[in-house]
Amino acid sequence: MPELNESEVYWWRPLDAAVATDTRSKILFAAYKEIHLHGFQSASLNNILAHTGVSKGALYHYFPNKTELGYAVIEEVIADRIFRSFIQPLQQADDPVQSLIELIQQAGRSFTLKDIQMGCPLGSLAQEMAPISEGFRLRLNKIYQLWHGAIIEALSRAQQQGRLIPQVVPEQLAVMVVATLEGCLSAGMIAQDLTRLTQCGAGLIQYLQLISIDKK
Amino acid sequence: MPELNESEVYWWRPLDAAVATDTRSKILFAAYKEIHLHGFQSASLNNILAHTGVSKGALYHYFPNKTELGYAVIEEVIADRIFRSFIQPLQQADDPVQSLIELIQQAGRSFTLKDIQMGCPLGSLAQEMAPISEGFRLRLNKIYQLWHGAIIEALSRAQQQGRLIPQVVPEQLAVMVVATLEGCLSAGMIAQDLTRLTQCGAGLIQYLQLISIDKK
DNA sequence: CTTGACATACCAACCGGTCGGTATTATAAA
DNA sequence: TTTATAATACCGACCGGTTGGTATGTCAAG
């Protein structure tokens, strides 16, 4: 399956990947890339090793086995990305719904074709591993719960401020927003077309605007 | 990764699986199950063989290689399921939006915990293979385009009938509906909780009702 | 006597994981 | 300050098992 060249396509701000100098971090980020590209089950430890120049002994010095390496990727790399990109911005907002809309818009604008080519690291790993491994499912679910919680809190706040129609149930909408967001990214990835992504996002934004109340 | 017992969890009406008597069909359905459970890359041909009792020679008699077997699963099994479950019902409807809502509601009701444990066969395969194989991506995208087309047509019809507010753009909403639907199923799967699925579905239905016009 | 429908035996490549060994650094007693 | 001890951080050859794929053989139907 060598249709994709593994060159530096890589996505969504290099983040700490460049900063990572110690061996453990190097392994962790290489593992994150490999898992995101091939999925966990098909991720090859030898590939990770080859990309980092680290030896197998080093890998097994820091991680007892492949599964634990996968757990570490979830808890240390993926969780951090979701938190920084989608949770933290919501907590600081004073107009929650508007900033939720802007968050979606900004995501839609900043994405390039290459960015969406590989889909959401959280979503694809969840799709693959949740059905076959409780250990993975539990750890991935924890991230989703955090994400949902942040949106629920934001929507409730908006409702209290009178910026959101009272018929909306925050718990309900929050789950739907996350689901749609991931679905949109997935749709853009499959079509390999940014307009599909923005189309999808526009649909969600229209909904949010429909249920929000302009205060001015 | 032997956390899930592979016994007859299997999902969404056995469909033709029981009817399949000829060797090629047996291989095809076993491959579908194996791929849905482990993904394409980690799907083991030996596993498929073991489950069917078919020999390796037979498999390679009907399919030139693993990739072509995967293509056949998409085009013959998955496409058929999506068409029968989500496209055909929409084409025959005379109140398109209402029947779309009912389709979602009925899906939400008929699903059991076991059904959602494994997620959507189309979505998870797309997540895995679209980024790394054009052959897979193109074939999966074709199914999505068919699905989108059916919803677009239904929404346009509804708009002509005056049952849908004119502000909504059918192309936009169609992509979003599919994305949300898959996102909901995924959310339910990760939480392993049906209420998460119905929560998510309720959010979508609320939106659809908000933009539809009651004719009576 | 050919052809399609299998069955069996086998292959190299790769898999995750283990092992014995080593170079470097931290700790602490003399 | 020197020196013995011990823990840490690797290294890379090797293991049994599995992978997708192939080459050859059988055998009934036409």
Side-chain angles (χ1 to χ4, degrees):
Chain A
M1 213 54 40
E3 295 182 34
L4 191 80
N5 69 324
E6 291 196 32
S7 64
E8 281 319 306
V9 188
Y10 227 62
W11 95 287
W12 220 349
R13 278 164 300 171
L15 202 71
D16 323 49
V19 185
T21 46
D22 63 297
T23 307
R24 209 192 98 103
S25 299
K26 269 200 261 181
I27 297 170
L28 212 52
F29 279 108
Y32 168 70
K33 288 191 190 183
E34 174 78 5
I35 289 172
H36 188 25
L37 187 57
H38 291 291
F40 175 77
Q41 294 178 96
S42 299
S44 159
L45 297 183
N46 291 333
N47 262 4
I48 295 168
L49 267 25
H51 278 94
T52 53
V54 167
S55 72
K56 190 160 264 190
L59 198 161
Y60 276 90
H61 174 70
Y62 290 106
F63 305 95
N65 50 49
K66 193 188 177 186
T67 303
E68 289 295 330
L69 175 60
Y71 292 168
V73 167
I74 294 174
E75 289 169 336
E76 298 179 43
V77 186
I78 296 179
D80 181 70
R81 271 165 188 264
I82 297 294
F83 183 75
R84 290 235 277 250
S85 302
F86 297 105
I87 295 176
Q88 218 169 28
L90 236 49
Q91 290 173 332
Q92 301 159 342
D94 47 49
D95 188 344
V97 181
Q98 195 52 42
S99 62
L100 185 59
I101 290 173
E102 275 164 23
L103 210 69
I104 299 168
Q105 280 175 332
Q106 202 236 329
R109 257 183 280 109
S110 66
F111 279 141
T112 67
L113 225 176
K114 281 181 183 177
D115 288 336
I116 63 161
Q117 240 164 17
M118 295 180 53
C120 174
L122 178 61
S124 54
L125 192 55
Q127 282 274 1
E128 181 195 4
M129 297 307 292
I132 55 168
S133 162
E134 270 296 286
F136 276 84
R137 213 202 93 236
L138 257 28
R139 284 166 178 83
L140 292 162
N141 195 33
K142 210 182 282 176
I143 300 177
Y144 278 101
Q145 280 174 337
L146 238 63
W147 196 352
H148 289 152
I151 299 180
I152 289 169
E153 207 252 350
L155 293 174
S156 302
R157 219 155 10 111
Q159 237 168 13
Q160 280 172 355
Q161 292 174 8
R163 293 184 202 261
L164 195 67
I165 63 169
Q167 292 97 314
V168 172
V169 184
E171 288 78 14
Q172 197 173 288
L173 186 57
V175 178
M176 185 206 156
V177 166
V178 172
T180 307
L181 236 44
E182 294 220 320
C184 289
L185 197 60
S186 172
M189 178 194 73
I190 294 150
Q192 225 164 83
D193 185 352
L194 279 167
T195 64
R196 188 112 127 214
L197 175 74
T198 47
Q199 265 184 346
C200 191
L204 181 59
I205 288 169
Q206 196 180 39
Y207 182 23
L208 291 174
Q209 277 166 345
L210 213 65
I211 57 173
S212 71
I213 301 159
D214 197 352
K215 265 281 192 171
K216 273 168 278 173
Chain B
M1 215 55 38
E3 293 181 36
L4 190 78
N5 69 325
E6 292 196 31
S7 64
E8 282 318 308
V9 188
Y10 228 61
W11 93 287
W12 221 350
R13 279 164 299 171
L15 202 71
D16 323 50
V19 184
T21 46
D22 63 298
T23 307
R24 209 192 97 103
S25 299
K26 268 200 262 181
I27 297 170
L28 212 52
F29 280 107
Y32 168 70
K33 287 192 191 184
E34 174 77 7
I35 289 172
H36 188 25
L37 187 57
H38 291 290
F40 175 78
Q41 293 178 97
S42 299
S44 160
L45 298 183
N46 291 334
N47 261 3
I48 295 169
L49 266 25
H51 278 95
T52 52
V54 168
S55 73
K56 190 160 264 190
L59 198 162
Y60 276 89
H61 175 70
Y62 289 106
F63 305 97
N65 50 48
K66 193 189 178 185
T67 302
E68 289 295 330
L69 174 61
Y71 291 169
V73 166
I74 294 173
E75 290 170 334
E76 298 179 41
V77 185
I78 296 178
D80 182 69
R81 272 165 187 263
I82 298 295
F83 183 75
R84 291 234 277 250
S85 301
F86 295 105
I87 296 177
Q88 218 170 29
L90 237 49
Q91 291 174 332
Q92 302 159 342
D94 48 48
D95 188 343
V97 181
Q98 196 52 43
S99 62
L100 185 59
I101 291 173
E102 275 164 23
L103 209 68
I104 298 167
Q105 280 176 333
Q106 201 236 328
R109 257 183 280 110
S110 66
F111 279 140
T112 67
L113 226 177
K114 282 182 184 176
D115 288 333
I116 63 160
Q117 241 164 15
M118 296 180 52
C120 174
L122 178 61
S124 54
L125 191 56
Q127 283 273 2
E128 180 196 4
M129 297 307 292
I132 55 169
S133 163
E134 270 296 285
F136 275 84
R137 213 203 93 236
L138 258 28
R139 284 166 176 82
L140 291 161
N141 195 32
K142 208 181 284 178
I143 299 177
Y144 278 100
Q145 280 174 338
L146 237 64
W147 195 351
H148 288 152
I151 298 179
I152 289 170
E153 206 252 351
L155 292 175
S156 302
R157 216 151 16 107
Q159 240 168 10
Q160 280 172 355
Q161 293 173 7
R163 292 183 203 263
L164 195 66
I165 63 169
Q167 291 97 315
V168 300
V169 184
E171 287 78 16
Q172 195 173 288
L173 187 56
V175 178
M176 185 207 155
V177 166
V178 172
T180 307
L181 237 43
E182 294 219 320
C184 288
L185 197 59
S186 172
M189 178 194 73
I190 294 148
Q192 226 165 82
D193 185 351
L194 279 167
T195 64
R196 189 112 125 212
L197 176 74
T198 47
Q199 266 183 345
C200 191
L204 181 58
I205 288 169
Q206 196 180 38
Y207 183 22
L208 291 173
Q209 276 166 346
L210 214 63
I211 57 174
S212 68
I213 301 159
D214 198 351
K215 267 283 193 172
K216 271 167 278 170

